[in-house]
Amino acid sequence: MKRLFFILSIFAFGGLISCTKKNEEVQVVDLKTEYLSEPICIGVNTPRLTWSFSGEATEFSTSKVEVNVWDNPERSGEKVSIIKEADSENNLLTSVVVPEGLSPLQSYYWDVTVWDANGAKCQTSELASFETAMLSENDWQAKRIRDEHDKDYGPAPLFRKQFITEDKQITSARVYISSAGYNEMYINGQRVGDSYMNPAFTNFKKRLLYETYDITGLLQAGENTVAAVLGNGRYNFQGLDSWSLASAPWRDRVSLMAEIHIDYSDGTTDVIPTDNSWKTSTGALYYNNIYAGDYVDLRLEEIGWKENNFDDSHWKQVKEIDSPTEKIVSRQMPGIRIIEEYKASGFKKFSEQLYVYSFPKNMAGFCRLKVKGEPGTTIKLRHAEMLKENGRVEMESVSIFFTPNHEDEQAQSDMIILRDGNEVVEFCPSFTFHGFQHVEVESSKPIELKQESLVACFAHTDVESVGYFECSNTTLNKIWEATRQSYLSNLESIPMDCPQREKNGWIGDAQFAIDLGLLNYDGISFYEKWMDDFIDAQNERGDLTAIIPSSGWGWAPGPVWDAALFIIPSALHNYYGDSYCIEKMLPTIDRYLAYLAEEEKEGLITFGLGDWVFHKTETDGTFTSSAYYYLQYKLRAEFAKITGEDETPFLAKANEIKKAVNDKFFDAETGAYAGGTQTAQGLALYVGLPPEGEEQKVADKLHELVAANKYFLDFGVIGSKTVPRMLTKYGYVEDAMKMVTKKEFPSWGYWMEEKGYTTLPEAWEWTKIQDFSSLNHVFLGDVSAWMVNDLAGINFVPEDPGFSSILITPHFVKDLSWVKGQYQSVKGMISSEWKRENDKVTLNITIPVGCSAKVLASDGKVHSVKSGNHQFVYWQ
């Protein structure tokens, strides 16, 4: 037996001095409103204010906080004071909710003062700010406008209006844009904002988001022009698709509602709303389709239409129309932005009319082309994930769900027709995105392109990165990077399945990816928006669609996929310590459970999607659906405890389901579930189905199955989430490591080392599953969360959510010599790093101010530590 013992050293940043003095030096930092820094788009009456702490105190907790809110930065006049006292010892107060009473279109300023557990006052924070937007639909002055064309008309509408600013200093200016269909706005010819494809996808009939922009720097003294072009997006899908978008209940001609608010130094405000004084026409964008692309004919563009001194007398007057939606809501999640630009890593000229570009990574977004050519030259950009043997792009795999409806249409293809042979044109689409690594540029007449003529723009919802992992195994590092690339590629205002063929919010995909998502990115505002879409998606019976939002396609996916309704609010609570989403979703959850009760048969659910894209062995669908049915009631009981309800009836129902599942599917003699598959064993352990005392037997059976399969995986999406984690939890981490890093098919390592993928495929082998598989899915990527949770060992504590308490459980795998993991939690930076030198392993961890941690590593003992830097040494 190996010797296992430890040396523990604690370094409390500044050394050993009095706790009281250290608490005085604790600073309140990272002040956010609705989890946003200095937002100007707050559309709720009772926003959440949050913060964290920095400093050198090893032991710090709060007895009281006072948050003061003013309507001016001088902290003068009337204020709202919010005082919150700790309800227990060792509490860490890091949030309050502003009471109702805020005014729309108003700036607010706030600070935080904290008292430590001894009642000593700590430093007051610096001032933070937020602005409210429209707090109700009654706050809008604008009218919704559109042109005279119907929904099947191809050319995109243009709108414009000239206005004059007063001859006095402008202190600030905002524009609030609510379009049905994508919008792009300009002030004096300059683009407003840096985000794309707004508004975000919702059930537009029930909820339409609007954007807020600071345009102070775009206005000029005297005459100004505001102009806009609208794209179809998913609001007015013109074409044929597999998801019924063309028959969506909201489908109509795109429309615009906007207001410009200009504040002057004398306290006055001008408002320029959309109304029947605006003019409309059409221009260069003669067709756009979210699955095809943007088609632009520069010969149709009127030069200067976005700017002053343009004669729009021949343009038509707009029509004022009624609102197409039940709610107009401020977008409080980040917008879609170009986050990274890639130069071509490969370039091949087939002829003066055909070029192929390759980029270093698979991605989602679009390309920027600089080109010059003869008038009337048509240039088409085709985007693909792979090349054929002849070096041309392979388009069949990305267009299997696409049916052309326009003479120029092709999946994932943008097109431009040149106007002037002497000008260099920069073309970049506005109202579409593609999934691609390769782009083919083909022209009707000769053009001269170089390798630098085309740049790939990686565009996605701009979530902040909060996670980091790296280790001595390059295969694991590649998997982690590919997972992040896939996750971001599938963040386009909703969590998508793939960015090239479907572009849908498959709810199962998102719940399997939630941990890797939140360990890597600050996603609370993104997911809270998406959970609003669940509310809008539910039908009267309580059922949900498999994709959300949906135009009405895909009812009854079953409990495995529908579990997103439970798992995502639970995850937000675990990672952020915030129960708002749980409280908001409870009515939707309870209606859903009532619907499932009608479908239940002797405690079991017999329908639904199961272990999707399994390798060889399929797991019984009634077992997977019923196991998730059990999990749903377990989570509902937890939600009851969180919200102050009686959890008893939900626990009783969960136990009833558990008994039904075990009676039908558990073999007590062998420890096998549902005939013994890797997925069945992993899922049973993951949700807690085994009878008390039988857990290790079930885990041993899982290990037996894996070992008998020569440590190859044999599962689909459910197994990918549960098997590596359960092997690790029950003592088989070395076997999980073998499975993950194998370089032979099937494995994650095979994708990276043998195939060279830079994103995660949809299936273990690129094959004809529904004809073809995507190369950019994320739902098989939870293995990257496993790296952070089990190799670096950074974990939340369910009983104390939000990382006030932290569980550090690193596994010193033999094939690794070092591991580094970091997570910027809402309480501060958590890090865990270990390094092996011969028989010695040194573990260094960092715990944020006010937090505590329990460390459990290879000696089997639990060590409790407070905030600061800590070092452990183990001999093995």
Side-chain angles (χ1 to χ4, degrees):
M1 178 178 289
K2 294 188 176 180
R3 293 180 300 142
L4 297 174
F5 60 97
F6 70 94
I7 297 175
L8 167 63
S9 302
I10 301 178
F11 302 91
F13 294 99
L16 298 175
I17 61 177
S18 72
C19 180
T20 301
K21 179 174 175 57
K22 285 298 179 185
N23 287 351
E24 290 175 356
E25 295 176 358
V26 168
Q27 294 180 331
V28 181
V29 297
D30 200 24
L31 278 66
K32 293 183 177 181
T33 305
E34 288 291 298
Y35 296 94
L36 305 171
S37 297
E38 309 292 315
I40 63 172
C41 59
I42 299 302
V44 294
N45 278 299
T46 56
R48 294 162 290 179
L49 307 180
T50 60
W51 58 88
S52 60
F53 299 99
S54 70
E56 300 179 357
T58 58
E59 295 189 33
F60 176 79
S61 60
T62 48
S63 60
K64 183 177 70 172
V65 297
E66 180 178 338
V67 176
N68 290 309
V69 184
W70 294 268
D71 63 3
N72 66 83
E74 286 76 34
R75 310 188 203 200
S76 62
E78 293 186 6
K79 66 180 179 181
V80 175
S81 292
I82 309 159
I83 297 174
K84 187 175 182 180
E85 295 186 355
D87 55 11
S88 65
E89 294 182 4
N90 302 319
N91 204 308
L92 196 65
L93 300 172
T94 56
S95 68
V96 298
V97 177
V98 178
E100 290 187 6
L102 299 180
S103 299
L105 311 177
Q106 173 70 51
S107 296
Y108 290 96
Y109 305 85
W110 59 285
D111 63 20
V112 183
T113 303
V114 178
W115 285 260
D116 69 13
N118 298 320
K121 186 177 180 179
C122 302
Q123 297 181 21
T124 298
S125 73
E126 295 184 355
L127 202 63
S129 70
F130 66 90
E131 288 182 27
T132 53
M134 309 291 182
L135 297 181
S136 76
E137 292 192 33
N138 294 330
D139 297 329
W140 287 88
Q141 299 179 41
K143 304 294 184 181
R144 185 165 295 275
I145 60 174
R146 58 169 282 182
D147 66 11
E148 63 183 357
H149 300 291
D150 65 23
K151 61 187 178 184
D152 295 318
Y153 190 67
L158 312 179
F159 301 94
R160 60 174 270 117
K161 179 181 176 63
Q162 293 183 209
F163 62 94
I164 296 175
T165 58
E166 298 186 29
D167 188 18
K168 46 191 175 183
Q169 182 182 358
I170 297 173
T171 56
S172 71
R174 304 287 186 260
V175 61
Y176 307 91
I177 308 173
S178 168
S179 63
Y182 290 151
N183 68 78
E184 195 167 72
M185 181 169 279
Y186 300 86
I187 302 290
N188 299 322
Q190 298 183 65
R191 193 178 190 274
V192 171
D194 60 356
S195 60
Y196 289 79
M197 288 169 280
N198 295 307
F201 187 21
T202 57
N203 180 328
F204 300 116
K205 198 75 174 176
K206 296 185 177 182
R207 192 184 309 260
L208 189 62
L209 302 191
Y210 69 90
E211 296 78 47
T212 303
Y213 297 104
D214 181 352
I215 59 168
T216 310
L218 300 182
L219 295 176
Q220 60 192 25
E223 191 172 89
N224 293 264
T225 296
V226 54
V229 55
L230 303 187
N232 290 319
R234 296 180 177 89
Y235 180 77
N236 182 29
F237 182 76
Q238 297 177 329
L240 301 173
D241 73 307
S242 299
W243 325 112
S244 304
L245 274 174
S247 58
W250 57 71
R251 189 183 165 213
D252 201 356
R253 181 68 169 170
V254 293
S255 60
L256 174 68
M257 185 169 74
E259 286 183 23
I260 295 174
H261 286 242
I262 306 171
D263 294 334
Y264 298 99
S265 57
D266 63 358
T268 59
T269 299
D270 277 346
V271 179
I272 295 91
T274 50
D275 56 25
N276 59 15
S277 68
W278 286 54
K279 295 290 194 69
T280 183
S281 186
T282 58
L285 184 59
Y286 69 91
Y287 185 76
N288 64 100
N289 182 303
I290 191 68
Y291 290 103
D294 282 8
Y295 297 164
V296 172
D297 187 344
L298 294 179
R299 298 170 300 180
L300 303 176
E301 183 177 27
E302 295 187 76
I303 303 298
W305 73 272
K306 305 170 188 173
E307 302 168 358
N308 295 322
N309 302 317
F310 173 78
D311 181 6
D312 61 9
S313 60
H314 60 291
W315 283 35
K316 295 183 179 180
Q317 185 176 355
V318 299
K319 295 169 56 179
E320 293 183 2
I321 63 171
D322 294 333
S323 176
T325 187
E326 294 177 9
K327 299 177 184 177
I328 301 176
V329 180
S330 177
R331 171 174 63 77
Q332 292 184 180
M333 68 173 179
I336 297 169
R337 298 185 177 90
I338 298 173
I339 303 303
E340 193 170 1
E341 296 189 359
Y342 294 103
K343 296 180 180 179
S345 54
F347 172 70
K348 185 173 182 179
K349 179 180 179 180
F350 286 82
S351 70
E352 291 185 342
Q353 293 176 243
L354 182 63
Y355 303 81
V356 173
Y357 292 80
S358 297
F359 296 95
K361 291 184 179 181
N362 200 5
M363 73 192 86
F366 35 79
C367 288
R368 183 182 299 114
L369 173 68
K370 288 186 177 181
V371 63
K372 182 171 71 171
E374 293 183 26
T377 300
T378 298
I379 302 170
K380 179 163 280 193
L381 285 70
R382 300 185 183 91
H383 303 74
E385 293 188 299
M386 296 181 298
L387 296 177
K388 298 177 182 178
E389 291 184 3
N390 63 5
R392 301 282 300 273
V393 292
E394 194 285 303
M395 295 296 293
E396 187 179 2
S397 64
V398 297
S399 61
I400 63 171
F401 298 118
F402 182 80
T403 303
N405 190 50
H406 186 278
E407 61 181 356
D408 296 322
E409 263 192 317
Q410 188 176 359
Q412 293 219 129
S413 298
D414 299 310
M415 191 168 72
I416 180 172
I417 302 175
L418 301 181
R419 171 184 54 214
D420 186 342
N422 295 318
E423 66 175 349
V424 176
V425 173
E426 183 173 282
F427 169 70
C428 187
S430 299
F431 302 131
T432 194
F433 66 97
H434 312 292
F436 67 98
Q437 189 169 1
H438 310 279
V439 181
E440 184 174 281
V441 182
E442 186 173 20
S443 60
S444 62
K445 299 178 182 179
I447 56 175
E448 184 59 42
L449 297 181
K450 300 179 180 179
Q451 187 159 343
E452 59 270 21
S453 299
L454 192 73
V455 174
C457 302
F458 186 22
H460 56 78
T461 299
D462 187 14
V463 288
E464 178 185 358
S465 178
V466 295
Y468 172 79
F469 177 86
E470 189 178 9
C471 68
S472 57
N473 185 292
T474 57
T475 300
L476 289 182
N477 295 338
K478 290 176 183 178
I479 296 169
W480 188 77
E481 288 287 354
T483 302
R484 282 169 61 96
Q485 185 77 4
S486 294
Y487 181 78
L488 293 176
S489 295
N490 285 290
L491 236 59
E492 184 267 324
S493 81
I494 60 171
M496 298 185 305
D497 60 329
C498 58
Q500 70 300 96
R501 305 180 314 169
E502 298 189 40
K503 309 186 182 189
N504 284 318
W506 282 91
I507 58 179
D509 297 36
Q511 66 101 337
F512 288 116
I514 187 65
D515 289 298
L516 72 89
L518 294 181
L519 282 169
N520 277 286
Y521 298 98
D522 181 8
I524 186 168
S525 61
F526 174 82
Y527 284 108
E528 285 187 342
K529 175 268 173 190
W530 196 48
M531 297 316 293
D532 285 341
D533 296 330
F534 275 64
I535 295 173
D536 295 341
Q538 190 173 43
N539 65 12
E540 291 183 2
R541 191 181 175 205
D543 193 8
L544 297 171
T545 48
I547 58 174
I548 293 179
S550 172
S551 61
W553 181 93
W555 292 106
V560 178
W561 257 241
D562 292 338
L565 177 61
F566 299 78
I567 289 172
I568 290 176
S570 176
L572 295 180
H573 182 250
N574 287 331
Y575 283 85
Y576 290 87
D578 191 321
S579 62
Y580 169 77
C581 190
I582 289 174
E583 294 163 3
K584 187 174 186 178
M585 298 307 297
L586 280 182
T588 305
I589 286 170
D590 287 341
R591 281 193 296 271
Y592 173 78
L593 289 176
Y595 147 71
L596 272 194
E598 296 178 359
E599 300 294 327
E600 177 187 311
K601 296 180 179 179
E602 299 179 345
L604 304 175
I605 300 295
T606 60
F607 70 94
L609 299 173
D611 195 26
W612 194 248
V613 296
F614 60 89
H615 172 46
K616 289 187 302 184
T617 305
E618 184 174 7
T619 300
D620 186 282
T622 297
F623 170 74
T624 56
S625 288
S626 301
Y628 271 88
Y629 187 36
Y630 167 64
L631 176 62
Q632 289 172 358
Y633 267 99
K634 282 183 64 177
L635 290 174
R636 181 62 183 91
E638 290 180 15
F639 297 166
K641 189 173 182 180
I642 291 166
T643 58
E645 293 178 273
D646 181 8
E647 62 183 318
T648 305
F650 305 111
L651 287 176
K653 180 62 178 177
N655 289 330
E656 177 187 314
I657 299 168
K658 179 177 180 177
K659 183 179 185 305
V661 174
N662 282 333
D663 287 349
K664 183 172 180 62
F665 291 105
F666 181 52
D667 185 332
E669 182 176 347
T670 64
Y673 271 90
T677 69
Q678 291 184 15
T679 289
Q681 301 304 113
L683 176 58
L685 291 165
Y686 185 77
V687 302
L689 282 172
E692 185 175 355
E694 297 293 307
E695 294 88 353
Q696 191 61 52
K697 179 187 288 187
V698 175
D700 292 344
K701 181 63 176 180
L702 171 60
H703 174 255
E704 176 189 321
L705 293 168
V706 172
N709 201 42
K710 299 181 180 179
Y711 300 97
F712 281 103
L713 63 85
D714 185 15
F715 46 65
V717 65
I718 296 175
S720 73
K721 176 87 176 183
T722 62
V723 171
R725 289 179 178 273
M726 294 303 101
L727 284 173
T728 301
K729 181 177 180 178
Y730 290 96
Y732 297 110
V733 66
E734 301 288 350
D735 305 291
M737 181 73 175
K738 289 179 186 177
M739 172 184 286
V740 172
T741 58
K742 272 184 172 292
K743 295 179 176 60
E744 302 87 12
F745 169 80
S747 73
W748 290 274
Y750 170 79
W751 286 343
M752 301 300 109
E753 302 300 344
E754 297 302 317
K755 304 300 291 185
Y757 295 146
T758 58
T759 50
L760 305 182
E762 179 184 8
W764 298 113
E765 184 178 26
W766 189 84
T767 184
K768 288 200 171 186
I769 297 176
Q770 293 184 335
D771 294 327
F772 290 95
S773 299
S774 154
L775 293 183
N776 200 346
H777 268 59
V778 75
F779 67 172
L780 295 173
D782 186 74
V783 65
S784 291
W786 168 79
M787 296 177 201
V788 177
N789 293 149
D790 289 323
L791 299 185
I794 299 173
N795 296 273
F796 60 78
V797 176
E799 296 77 18
D800 190 10
F803 290 93
S804 291
S805 298
I806 301 158
L807 182 61
I808 303 293
T809 58
H811 289 80
F812 307 140
V813 179
K814 295 176 183 177
D815 289 340
L816 296 176
S817 57
W818 58 269
V819 166
K820 296 180 180 180
Q822 291 182 343
Y823 173 62
Q824 181 68 42
S825 75
V826 288
K827 298 299 191 296
M829 178 61 75
I830 304 166
S831 68
S832 174
E833 303 181 11
W834 59 265
K835 184 177 182 180
R836 185 193 312 278
E837 295 176 309
N838 298 320
D839 291 337
K840 183 177 76 170
V841 177
T842 303
L843 170 67
N844 289 289
I845 65 172
T846 300
I847 305 302
V849 171
C851 301
S852 62
K854 294 187 182 300
V855 182
L856 176 61
S858 60
D859 63 352
K861 298 179 181 179
V862 177
H863 310 289
S864 298
V865 298
K866 299 293 185 178
S867 59
N869 295 330
H870 308 273
Q871 185 178 91
F872 297 79
V873 178
Y874 301 82
W875 279 269
Q876 296 183 316

